[in-house]
Amino acid sequence: MKRYYLFIVFSFLLATSLYAQDANKLKVNVNKGSVAIASEDGNFKFGFGGRVYMDAAGYFDDKTDLGSGSEIRDIRLLMKATLWEKWDAKINIGFADGGVSLKDVFLVYKTNKNSFVRAGHFLEPFGIEQTESSKTTKFMHAASTVEAFRPGRNLGVSYATWGKQYFWEAGLFGSDTNNKTAGDEGYGLTSRFAFAPVQTDGGLFHIGMSGTYRTADAAGFDDNGVEKAKSIRYSSRAATHIERRKFIDTKSIGAAENQMKLGFEMIAATGPISLQGEYIDASVSRKSGNEDYHSKGWYAQFGWLIKGGDYKYKMKSARLAKPGSGSVELLARYNETDLNDTDALIMGGKQKDISIGCTWYVNHNILMKFNFTNVDLDEYSLNGEENFNMIQTRLQFSF
């Protein structure tokens, strides 16, 4: 709860300092449901927002007895500020599962209109879906491949720049804010590059590549003060969150020294039709006498705006833009994640899943999602070979 109190105190102090400048020169605006306060000279802007996801899921069991139900998937409170035009600050706090967690907490310095330096706690620049807000991802749950291999949010510093046809970001990262294990935490170098040579009214084509190198985190010390063997783990849920068990899971990849991940991405669109895909290759280097571990996965997804016009693209983030208010989008995705490595004698399981979905963007602040997913698991998965289906729905609102 201490982080929650810090958030309130910071909000109060920032609002107080803003008011103290000159109350007669402040402007309050409401734009697309979000409230912003700004000074007349434009040197200072302050805004706040939030989001809530309410989910429900029904499972059609096979071998495993799955628990259908509902949940408040996520609650967020957001505060952001622009200081003297050149500086941006953001604090995003999550309240999911009855706990408090830091999401995006960072400071940005804009070196020019097309580049910035960022420092704090934020998503490492790796791939499309890993770097996208959960507010705008196409499906209710990330692709299994992305969930298994994404580096997530960590403390670090990065530099980003973009032009008319390219985007590039690179950064140095430590661990996340929850790492309390004794010993030296791991560090990572992560970078993403995207190239979009076609951006016309008739279509879009984007290709990209990401890479991350990360040393293994400390595992603490034994009773004699000797450092314990380090390990790395890859795992994923079965394309859902309400059923929380990890159906594919390497458990502990022991004697780990570092890991390397390479990601390849593609986006193509013409009018109301879009295609998006990612392939990720992950390997773990282990101490001598242990075979290195290797795994991989990929997904491809299709989108069709049956209402709402054509797909738009944002070079600043190298992703498709959120469809406009009133849009209706039909979706399909195939995903395959393989955590089995016979040479390393680590069999984490293989998952194939097919999802279809529909999203109604009611307005800028409210949307509704419906997803149907079939999951196929091999004999090395949680409870062995099985196949099951699920229906999921979401009501989402943000401001």
Side-chain angles (χ1 to χ4, degrees):
M1 292 298 294
K2 290 182 178 179
R3 292 171 183 164
Y4 176 67
Y5 295 141
L6 287 174
F7 175 78
I8 294 176
V9 171
F10 184 85
S11 300
F12 176 76
L13 291 175
L14 193 54
T16 302
S17 64
L18 193 160
Y19 182 81
Q21 286 188 20
D22 188 342
N24 295 322
K25 294 183 179 180
L26 297 180
K27 299 183 295 182
V28 179
N29 296 309
V30 179
N31 182 25
K32 296 181 179 180
S34 297
V35 178
I37 304 172
S39 60
E40 288 186 340
D41 59 9
N43 285 331
F44 196 99
K45 298 178 183 178
F46 172 75
F48 64 92
R51 71 182 79 162
V52 177
Y53 306 159
M54 295 179 286
D55 293 358
Y59 303 106
F60 304 90
D61 304 337
D62 185 1
K63 184 183 300 183
T64 304
D65 185 15
L66 304 172
S68 302
S70 58
E71 67 174 351
I72 295 182
R73 172 67 182 88
D74 200 6
I75 302 175
R76 300 278 187 91
L77 289 179
L78 165 68
M79 182 177 56
K80 55 186 178 180
T82 297
L83 312 171
W84 308 112
E85 297 184 354
K86 285 285 189 179
W87 296 89
D88 286 341
K90 182 178 181 180
I91 298 179
N92 194 359
I93 308 295
F95 299 89
D97 301 324
V100 181
S101 61
L102 295 179
K103 300 300 182 180
D104 294 322
V105 181
F106 57 75
L107 186 66
V108 169
Y109 176 73
K110 293 174 279 191
T111 53
N112 57 52
K113 66 178 182 178
N114 283 0
S115 63
F116 62 78
V117 177
R118 175 167 49 180
H121 188 257
F122 54 94
L123 290 165
E124 295 191 23
F126 187 90
I128 304 170
E129 199 168 56
Q130 141 79 9
T131 56
E132 189 167 5
S133 169
S134 60
K135 291 194 301 183
T136 55
T137 50
K138 299 299 185 184
F139 289 87
M140 286 177 58
H141 199 77
S144 174
T145 293
V146 175
E147 183 179 12
F149 299 129
R150 61 186 171 192
R153 287 180 172 86
N154 289 299
L155 288 163
V157 59
S158 74
Y159 171 78
T161 184
W162 61 94
K164 292 182 178 180
Q165 295 183 329
Y166 73 91
F167 170 90
W168 177 64
E169 184 174 2
L172 172 65
F173 298 87
S175 186
D176 65 26
T177 58
N178 296 318
N179 186 3
K180 303 296 188 297
T181 306
D184 294 333
E185 67 180 39
Y187 69 89
L189 298 168
T190 304
S191 181
R192 178 187 180 217
F193 176 79
F195 177 55
V198 179
Q199 298 177 62
T200 67
D201 293 337
L204 159 74
F205 181 69
H206 152 128
I207 55 173
M209 180 178 179
S210 299
T212 181
Y213 168 87
R214 173 170 284 277
T215 59
D217 283 326
F221 302 91
D222 62 21
D223 293 338
N224 297 318
V226 178
E227 187 178 48
K228 296 179 182 178
K230 299 179 180 180
S231 64
I232 289 172
R233 179 184 182 185
Y234 299 134
S235 62
S236 176
R237 297 179 177 91
T240 185
H241 187 266
I242 290 175
E243 172 54 67
R244 303 194 178 196
R245 281 172 285 187
K246 303 292 185 71
F247 282 81
I248 54 174
D249 193 344
T250 62
K251 306 294 184 182
S252 174
I253 305 172
E257 293 186 321
N258 58 71
Q259 59 181 313
M260 173 73 77
K261 301 173 192 171
L262 291 175
F264 302 90
E265 62 188 67
M266 183 275 293
I267 300 174
T270 177
I273 303 296
S274 71
L275 294 173
Q276 176 177 306
E278 296 187 70
Y279 174 89
I280 301 177
D281 183 278
S283 60
V284 177
S285 296
R286 306 167 73 195
K287 293 183 178 180
S288 59
N290 298 275
E291 190 74 25
D292 290 346
Y293 170 80
H294 179 261
S295 56
K296 59 187 180 297
W298 64 278
Y299 77 86
Q301 68 186 34
F302 164 85
W304 178 21
L305 285 171
I306 60 174
K307 181 183 178 183
D310 298 340
Y311 282 100
K312 307 298 182 183
Y313 180 76
K314 295 165 61 178
M315 197 71 253
K316 183 178 179 180
S317 58
R319 293 192 300 267
L320 291 174
K322 178 184 175 181
S325 297
S327 298
V328 178
E329 185 177 29
L330 298 182
L331 300 159
R333 179 178 71 191
Y334 176 80
N335 179 91
E336 189 171 309
T337 310
D338 188 358
L339 300 185
N340 296 325
D341 187 340
T342 54
D343 293 335
L345 301 178
I346 297 174
M347 308 301 286
K350 183 175 182 179
Q351 175 178 318
K352 300 177 183 178
D353 56 84
I354 300 173
S355 298
I356 58 174
C358 179
T359 301
W360 176 25
Y361 300 86
V362 181
N363 52 49
H364 181 77
N365 304 94
I366 300 172
L367 62 80
M368 299 179 185
K369 292 184 178 183
F370 173 85
N371 292 175
F372 170 84
T373 301
N374 171 264
V375 178
D376 186 72
L377 298 161
D378 73 354
E379 65 270 28
Y380 300 108
S381 302
L382 178 66
N383 291 319
E385 187 174 0
E386 62 178 319
N387 186 291
F388 54 83
N389 301 310
M390 67 186 75
I391 294 174
Q392 302 181 87
T393 62
R394 170 175 292 172
L395 174 61
Q396 171 182 320
F397 62 89
S398 60
F399 60 92

